[in-house]
């Protein structure tokens, strides 16, 4: 029998000067220091900063879902 789970969603913005994926990894790694039971993420928005005709900074807004503890 499958247990019923209740999930909570939070919204975070990860950033990186390297890539979108790095921005996501940074957000997940940092939030894992204080949030337990993270299960999934959804990219909501991607944006960045341009300097001298090149992408200089990535920002990725994500929703992260985690299970609530009993």
């Amino acid at each position: 029998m499958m247990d019923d789970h209740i999930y909570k969603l939070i919204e975070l913005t990860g950033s990186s000067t390297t890539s979108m994926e790095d921005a996501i990894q940074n957000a997940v790694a940092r939030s894992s220091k204080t949030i337990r039971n993270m299960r999934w993420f959804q990219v909501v928005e991607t944006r960045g900063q341009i300097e001298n005709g090149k992408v200089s900074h990535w920002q990725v807004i994500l929703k992260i879902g985690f299970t609530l503890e009993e």
Side-chain angles (χ1 to χ4, degrees), residues 24-52:
I24 293 167
Q25 294 285 1
N26 289 342
V28 170
R30 175 59 185 88
S31 61
S32 72
K33 293 179 180 181
T34 56
I35 299 168
R36 292 185 300 276
N37 304 317
M38 291 190 299
R39 299 292 183 238
W40 53 268
F41 73 91
Q42 173 187 356
V43 173
V44 177
E45 183 179 338
T46 305
R47 60 182 175 220
Q49 184 175 345
I50 300 169
E51 290 179 10
N52 301 320

